[in-house]
Amino acid sequence: MNAAGTLPAWAALLTALFVLIGAAVTLIGSLGLLRLGTFYKRVHAPTLGTTLGMVSILAGSVLCFSVLEARPVVHEILIAVFVTLTTPVTLMLLVRAALYRDRTEGSTDVPAAEVAEDLIPPA
Amino acid sequence: MSPLAILGWAIISAQVMLGLAMCCATYRLVAGPRAQDRILGLDTLYVNAMLMLVTFGIRTGSTLYFEAALVIGLLGFVSTVALAKFLMRGEVIE
Amino acid sequence: MSSGMPLLAIVALPFIGSLVAIFLRQNARNGAAFLAGTIAFCCMVLTGFQYRAVGRGGVLRLSVEWLPTLGLDFTLRMDGFTWLFAMLVTGIGLLVVLYARYYMSPADPVPRFFAFLLAFMGAMLGIVLSGNLIQLVFFWELTSLFSFLLIGYWHHNASARDGARMALTVTATGGLCLLVGVLLIGHIVGSYDLDDVLASGNRVRSSSLYLPALILVLLGALTKSAQFPFHFWLPHAMAAPTPVSAYLHSATMVKAGVFLLILLWPVLSGTEAWFYIVVSAGLCTLLLGAYAAIFQQDLKGLLAYSTISHLGLITLLLGLSSPLAAVAAIFHTINHATFKASLFMAAGIIDHESGTRDIRRLSGLFRFMPITATLAMVAAAAMAGVPLLNGFLSKEMFFAEAAAFHIDSLLDHSLPYFAMLASAFSVAYSLRFIHGVFFGPPATDLPRTPHEPPHWMRFPIEFLVLACLLVGILPAMTIKPFLSTAVRAVLGPDTPYYSLAIWHGFNEPLLMSVIALIGGIALYWALQRHLKKGIDGPPLVRHLKGQRIFERVLVTLSWKWARSLERLFGTQRLQPQLRLLVAFAVLAPLWPLYRQGLEAGSRPGTAFDPAFLLLWIVGSLCAIGAAYQAKYHRLAAMVLMGGAGLVTCITFVWFSAPDLAITQLLVEIVTTVLILLGLRWLPKRIETAGEGLTMGVRARVRRVRDLMLAVASGAGMTLVVYAMLMRPLPDTISRYFIENAYSEGGGRNVVNVLLVDFRGFDTFGEIVVLAVVAITVFSLLRRFRPAPESVAAPEQQQVQDAHDRASLDRAVGDTLADYLTIPAVIMQWLFPVIITVAIYLFLRGHDLPGGGFAAGVTMSIALVLQYMAGGTRWIEARLRIRPILWMGLGLLCAASTGMGAWLFRHPFLTSYFQYLDVPAIGKVPAATALLFDLGVFAVVVGATVLILIALAHQSIRNPRPARRAYTPTMQAVAKENA
Amino acid sequence: MTGLLDHLIIVPILLPLVSGAVMLLLEERHRILKGGIGVATTLGLLAVSIMLLRLADLPPAGPDGSAVSVYQLGNWPAPFGIVLVLDRLSALMLVLTSVLGITSLLYSLARWHRAGPRFHTIFQLQLMGLNGAFLTGDLFNLFVFFEVLLAASYGLVLHGDGIGRVKAGLAYIAINLTGSFLFLIGASLAYGVTGTLNMADLANRIPTLAPGDATLVAAAAAILGTAFLMKAGAWPLNFWLPTTYAAASAPAAAMFAIMSKLGVYVILRLWMLVFGPAAGPLAGFGGDGLLVIGMLTIAFGTVGVLASQSLSRLAGCSVLISSGTLIAAIGTGGGTVIGSALFYLVSSTLGISAFFLLVELVERLRDPGADVLAVTMEAYGEGDDDGPQHEEVGVAIPATVALLGGSFVACALLLAGLPPLAGFIGKFGMMVAMLKTDGATVQASTWMLIGLLTVSGLATLIAMTRSGISSFWARLDDSVPRVRVIEMAPVLCLLLLCLGLTVGGGPAMRYMEATMQALRTPQGYVTGVLSAPRTGSNDGEDSP
Amino acid sequence: MMELVFALAVGILTASGVWLLLRPRTFQVIIGLSLLSYAVNLFIFGMGRLRIGAPPVLENTEAVDPALYTDPLPQALVLTAIVISFAMTALFLVVLLASRGLTGTDHVDGREDGQ
Amino acid sequence: MSWFLPYPLLSAALLALWLLLNQSVSPGHLVLGSVLAVLASWAMAALRPEKPRIRRPGAALRLAGMVLIDILRSNLAVGRIIVRSREPGVNAGFLTIPLDLRDRQGLAVLSVIITSTPGTIWVSYDAAKGTLLLHVLDLIDETVWVRTIKDRYERRLMEIFE
Ligand code: NA
Ligand code: NA
């Protein structure tokens, strides 16, 4: 906490709030990984961290450094943009792959492909 | 308790929460059961780690750690994408 | 002392001649013989002329500085004794050359023969004329070498190869012992110079190292002179062409051992150890050799054993340590050389003209080659010690010495009887040589019809036999002056009175001679029936074949034992090696720690931080999980490893290393993609049911041991790290870096200034490593043959393509398109973004975390992402990437930036920076370090892309199956698929 | 710094680098051009190394008597910046490297350079790595150059492909990576305790350490020692060595002859410098260990030589004997033995290198033609696109078998340490020096070492005779293999050098003794490195 | 306090890495080498001791006080080590693939134990 | 002009990126950023992607605002499900939606919106049939979800991109 010593009280408290909210939301999201029963349900959970959790913590950071350096420090926006752009890519590819795997194993929990009888491994 | 001390405690609590979040992700990483669960765990771990870095920046009052977080934010998904594609197609670059 | 230059010529001429001979045409028999003869003649004449100098007791010396720091000069030295020996070597050499000219077949590569012969002569002269002991050993080993080449001259013949190898092994072993012995003598004396050594006899004999030195020197001498129990190599050396036997095994090579004993006689002799060792070796050899000679069926074998026996006689004489015995030894050395050389040559003629050397087949040759037969008879008589021949004279002296009193012991007292017995044997085998070959009914079934050889082939024998006769009849007028010169040179003031005469009156030796002669004749007569049976080898000891024992011991020691020892103390497998390396690395530092203990440090630690603890709970779980899963669940292991890597990155951030975190993260990403690219070519490991249960006891032990090793190394690292972290940082050189980073390095990010300036040379090396590895990977993948199981497209693709094919409204590849189209759009958006971030990281590196390496990796991730999104063909239709060019240019950029400093007369990599004033923009930093970093950037991009792309290209290459077929695996695969 | 001549020290590093980089810009098909550049570069290296050798051998110029030339990279003074240090020892190793370099390169021009892409670049960078490792005065920079030369050596081991090479390469890489980790751990631990990476500065700081810290330095030295011993091929860390060297292509193996010597060099350099008599409690640290390990290595190498079934494995095992001999010599206390040991180092390196080159030629005797075919098959796979296949360099030489035989005999003599070649002098010199105890009784270990040296020579002789006879004398057919001048000449050159070392043993030995004297008095090195002035004025960046 | 956690972390990474290094499968070895490289990087890093919030990036450029910054040298060393171990991982990977292709097994010795 | 600035919007975004990264609007960074933005857009041009045509920037902004609110709401909803419910995700299920949107860029944006909203995830898109397979964590009424996606997002996206 070497540089935060100059932070005014309101900023400190607000930052604390943002950070705590963000961390809590992220924790809840990750908790979802434990609590949710199947992969397709679990895949929703981390989104909490990549949306509200992240934005909240980044907001805390923007606030803190803008006040500290007495100028708008907003480059955290970039992180938000990047994460928002990239997380869907990961999740989409991952869920689709999981779907493929489940289908080839003949799982009944997933919607079947149109020509399911062809999904047998080649001899 | 001064507001600054509250901030200090808040950040430490936040870091502990993020740490716990990472532990949750690690559970999926270690326990699976399927490969996709592990990859999802890794992806979550990356995001949590990135947030941890941001809180660390606030904690030390330094913007020097920003780029590390930025790199995770921008490029962290590449390895997960590669893993996911490997699951789906059996190879990363076709 | 007069000039020693002729000595140099005597030693050098044969070697020069040898070099010339080797370049002669293969069929230049006459030329080579003429060359060799001329050289031998010149050497002989040169040696002869030196008699003026040494005849009066002078010593010739030539010393050239050679290895002064080791106290070693190249010294040649000649006194009366060595003169005599040199005459013997050159003279008999000349005769042998003459003989060999006729003996050798034009079909053989004769120039090579003469080259070896000349080189051998040079080496032998080198031994004889060496002025210091090390140099003597030097030439000693050379004679072993050239004798090896000469014995193996007819190497298409297996016995020649074996004989040569045995001779070399035995004599070179002796030579090495001799080297150590000589080293000891030099150590005692403080000099290797022969004159110094000869003057320090008392000091040597009283030294505590005398016995080991003596034994080692004797090992050298006895092996060379084929003394019991090392005698067995000589008969097998008879596979050599006969001129070689005549030269090496009568006059030179085997005499080197005797020569050495005589040479060092003043230094080493006179002790009990000397007496017992040398006398018993000599006596055994004398008796055994003579006994065995009687029963040989091969003419040359008979001569070989006879040689062994005569050498034993000389050794025995030397062992007696009395001056008179030494005189007898020297005299007999000369005599033996003359008659034995002529006998060998005669045997060669018989072999040459009749086609065999087997005494059983030879008979009645006298009528075919009367002159040769007569000559051989005279020489054999000399060998048997018949009066009026030179052999008789020295044998008389031997008998006299054997009868004399030396050291009161059973050995000493029994000597006369043994001497007579051996002498009788020698009469018997001489008789057999003559009677068996030249008399009896004429042989009928010989391969060739024998006749007299060409005159010049016989000439050397005639000459030598004449010498035998002259010395035997007129010793005082022929040999006496030379002998006395030699004796005086060895014995110096101790030279005793001796007389060289045919007749000394009726005395003990004469009686012994007569008994021996009669006994020998009687023995031969008595053995007639046994010999007619034609059994090769002597009775009783026939089965005790030294050669076979030697071979067996050699094979056991040098092959069987060596192989089992190698297996026992070595391994060809990787795991034990790594295990040993790790164990060594754990134990080696433990030693000082154990001896001196490890103190805890005094540095106050950081405060407790629960988040960091949580972080490493995560990290540890990941690490242990990766270790657990890596065998069967590779993907899981990779993911877990990624987790551990991520936690490592956070740790870097935690403790103030943002640069490290960024770089580690980027590398982490690239590594994941890389290993995944590889995983495609690594067929799955299937965990067979019950594999864990059926694990053998040995495997369990191995695992427990590995676990212990792993835990030990982990504990060791923990211990050392903790000890280090808890002690204060010493006054490090880093202070300088922090203080000067900005003022002299022009950057605020000290780590980056270190990388591109203070320690830019490390970075320079590091990019070279990257480049080399990339090239290696590239060239390895050029010829990559995937595992057959992985040649086909991955199972997923086959399934999906089959699905596409089966659906009416889908084309092959639609599943892939559906899978990737939408994500690929986003991935393409990111392409320019990542490039921009890469440039950002590059430009800010000098002042803030970032730099060329991070930027380069980022840039290559941008490219790889597009490869993943669009596929290799898609991207390469659009972008032309030439990574090797990037690497080359990058290396050149970094190097030329560094060399640019030379223009300002500064050392390589000296940086220069300034703030440039650009209108409207302001101050712009311009640093050469940035240029250097640009080179780093280019190399990193080139290398990373090259590695990844080369791997990716395997998928679109025509798969080529592994060249080596390994059927079992293929069958297994087929079975699995069925 | 005034003229270009002042930068001569760094030329052995830069020249191959630039040459290698330039060759990267050339397409694969310009093989002949690349060969020309490679040969020119390597010849240049040889010339520069010889100049540096003469420079290093000059008597100390200044009144301070600094016996070393120092090159401050980036114009940063030691101990802060990285320095290159030229003394007799490093100059000697440079010359040795470039001699092996030129001979191996010429040899490879006959055909090996066509057996895989980018051979010439890798080869030049191998030279660069070796030269850098010999020149650097900084512990971590040494690591970097180790990695450069190892990376290049991985490339060379795998050059030419084939199952044996890949198998051996895998083990080689795994082991060396582990060794590199040990190097890193040891070097950083040494830094953590002493606060410096400069070797001269280390020597300066170690005597002043607190006892607890000294223990940690000793631990660091033990870890580093493990890594170096592994690279030097010391038992029990050496099982990879014969396999790898035997699997490598002939020119690569010939270059590797100096790589094991690099491990020895570093041990010699560091131990003499850092644990010399002035090192306080750590003086002579680990000497006994080195002696024991060295002797065990000789013994194992001897056994290995005898048990070898192929010539190349025999050559590999004789590397072990050579390394063991040198390690034991260092372990004897670093006295006057070092002088002769260096002589031995040179002659055995040249001999082993020549032998590795020769082995491939001799093996052609066994089945002429098949070998050429095998290489072609290996190199080109099934119709790969690696350019002209039957391009021949040089002409086949007459009297092939005789020349091969003569060279084989010479190698046997060199490796066994028998006269008349230089191996004899080295071994003899070491024995003499070991016995020179100034009146004190000779220790039992010395006798054992002398015995081992003798036995190892004998074993080598037996093994060489055995394999030589089966290669040359017991052939079934008398056909003469095709050997080209460009293959035979390097072998003969190396052997002639050894012969030259015998004849001109005096001056060579004097150089070695001077080297030994300098190593025994490390203060000259330390002062020379640490007191070298910076170029130009103090405000370095403004002066140009 | 955190020193102990750090030291244990290095130890656990080392132990896992060494365990894998000694396994017979090439893939295990490559993962082991990676884990070991984390351990070694942390080890080197630790040699500069642990400081929180003192990254070696100069804040003001006049009158620099070295006590305010953590030791930059180990960081530079780690950077070099990271790069080199990345390169070596790539190389090892490709060699293990080649070995698998040529020998038909992923055993480090290129043949199964019993063979 | 199009060869020089093939993607003006992209270049503008990259310039913004540069300035944000450097946290500076100094002339130097403006110049450098512009140069880099142009260069990077050339790199993009090499990949020859389809040119996105954004017709109604205003609609885009409105959509963005709406999505942000949806995301916030979904966060709370999903958070509640994870923390509160005894058996979280009991109502989860797959859902197929026929889409009219065909523009790839538009679909990409839709995928980002759907996936970024907690509780819904884009599983796969069948280009031939134009159907989207979704997974929804709290799937009580399918029609509500279909309407939400088609009306709230797809329609607006089609306005913007087509
Ligand atoms: Na007969
Ligand atoms: Na979502």
Side-chain angles (χ1 to χ4, degrees), chain A residues 43-44 47 91, chain F residues 112-122 135:
Chain A
V43 92
H44 295 282
T47 325
L91 294 184
Chain F
V112 170
I113 292 172
I114 290 177
T115 312
S116 291
T117 312
T120 55
I121 197 148
W122 173 295
H135 187 270

Side-chain angles (χ1 to χ4, degrees), chain E residues 1-17:
Chain E
M1 257 325 262
M2 290 304 92
E3 278 80 1
L4 188 62
V5 177
F6 186 92
L8 282 169
V10 174
I12 287 170
L13 285 173
T14 307
S16 312

Side-chain angles (χ1 to χ4, degrees), chain D residues 23-82:
Chain D
M23 286 192 271
L24 276 185
L25 305 183
L26 296 174
E27 294 284 337
E28 198 55 34
R29 59 178 187 277
H30 301 298
R31 272 221 184 76
I32 295 174
L33 177 61
K34 285 187 189 177
I37 296 176
V39 170
T41 310
T42 319
L43 278 176
L45 266 184
L46 183 63
V48 170
S49 313
I50 291 172
M51 281 162 82
L52 288 174
L53 183 86
R54 301 189 57 170
L55 189 71
D57 201 29
L58 292 177
D64 58 336
S66 61
V68 295
S69 312
V70 179
Y71 190 81
Q72 296 166 334
L73 287 153
N75 205 17
W76 301 110
F80 311 111
I82 296 169

Side-chain angles (χ1 to χ4, degrees), chain C residues 353-370:
Chain C
E353 302 302 334
S354 68
T356 181
R357 299 189 320 230
D358 193 328
I359 303 179
R360 287 166 294 196
R361 293 177 70 188
L362 293 166
S363 181
L365 283 191
F366 190 87
R367 69 188 63 184
F368 298 108
M369 38 174 70

Side-chain angles (χ1 to χ4, degrees), chain C residues 938-963:
Chain C
V939 173
V940 172
V941 173
T944 316
V945 168
L946 181 63
I947 293 171
L948 292 171
I949 298 315
L951 254 175
H953 266 251
Q954 299 307 316
S955 299
I956 58 168
R957 254 174 43 147
N958 286 331
R960 191 167 50 187
R963 178 150 39 93

Side-chain angles (χ1 to χ4, degrees), chain E residues 57-70:
Chain E
V57 177
L58 304 179
E59 277 165 7
N60 62 342
T61 49
E62 314 286 309
V64 184
D65 178 12
L68 291 179
Y69 303 97
T70 189

